[in-house]
Amino acid sequence: YPIELEASIRPEAVILGRISDAEAARLADMPSAIYLLEHPEIDDIYVCPPVRYPDGQFCVKMGGSHTAARDLPNAEAKRQWMAGDGANEQLRVMTEVLTTILPDVAFQSFEMKPCLITDTSSGLPFVDQIDDGLFIAAGGNGHAAKSADAIGALVAGLVVNNGEWTDTELGQSQFGARR
């Protein structure tokens, strides 16, 4: 079911800072946060509390919008970013930012991962019913890591209620899929 949305895709690098189980327990109440930076290489970042990854290790995750990032124009450019090692080029700056905002955390190691950000024309995620029985939740605009539960709850409400918007605080028109 092809649908073209008013959205673009850009690359982003994510850093995982590995920490001990004891450090993860100490940081158990750490909130997720988004920061706008005055930094020559990074516009903004999000940081998430420690999570145990499939390898059994705890990591603090931080993503950052690099000032030089440009939209990826096609599927091949997206594949190349995800399969390549371009994210590693940001290890120095991402480590610097993460250890600056969390100076008291005892990081054991750092690992970079590539990520893709979907930016919508509205700046808000698209949460909508686009056809009978077909729903969409797309476009985190670089903030979905922090907002995924809330975005998921919005689209789940639409699905469960057969397309009826039930959120009493957020207006449905703000989240409509723009084509």
Side-chain angles (χ1 to χ4, degrees):
Y1 190 86
I3 180 172
E4 191 169 319
L5 299 172
E6 289 182 8
S8 59
I9 308 290
R10 64 183 156 93
E12 181 173 271
V14 172
I15 188 169
L16 299 176
R18 186 170 303 237
I19 59 174
S20 68
D21 289 6
E23 192 73 332
R26 184 178 76 83
L27 299 174
D29 293 330
M30 179 181 149
S32 295
I34 295 173
Y35 296 97
L36 300 177
L37 303 179
E38 290 185 19
H39 191 280
E41 295 177 66
I42 305 289
D43 287 327
D44 57 65
I45 57 106
Y46 68 85
V47 64
C48 298
V51 170
R52 186 181 300 273
Y53 280 76
D55 65 359
Q57 300 295 312
F58 278 99
C59 292
V60 173
K61 177 181 175 182
M62 184 186 83
S65 297
H66 201 273
T67 56
R70 298 295 175 254
D71 290 348
L72 298 171
N74 54 47
E76 182 56 30
K78 294 168 190 142
R79 277 191 289 279
Q80 286 178 2
W81 171 253
M82 293 304 291
D85 61 359
N88 290 333
E89 295 173 10
Q90 297 180 35
L91 177 61
R92 176 198 53 79
V93 69
M94 295 290 279
T95 302
E96 170 194 306
V97 171
L98 182 58
T99 57
T100 298
I101 64 169
L102 298 174
D104 298 330
V105 174
F107 291 104
Q108 298 173 335
S109 63
F110 300 97
E111 180 182 8
M112 297 299 295
K113 298 282 188 181
C115 185
L116 295 173
I117 302 296
T118 303
D119 293 313
T120 65
S121 58
S122 67
L124 293 171
F126 295 145
V127 178
D128 204 353
Q129 180 174 8
I130 56 175
D131 205 345
D132 188 37
L134 183 60
F135 300 85
I136 187 171
N141 298 285
H143 306 291
K146 184 176 182 307
S147 309
D149 289 349
I151 295 167
L154 287 173
V155 76
L158 277 178
V159 171
V160 168
N161 294 293
N162 298 315
E164 183 179 328
W165 189 267
T166 58
D167 191 287
T168 59
E169 294 185 34
L170 299 173
Q172 182 176 9
S173 64
Q174 299 175 53
F175 297 93
R178 296 182 184 175
R179 303 177 202 189

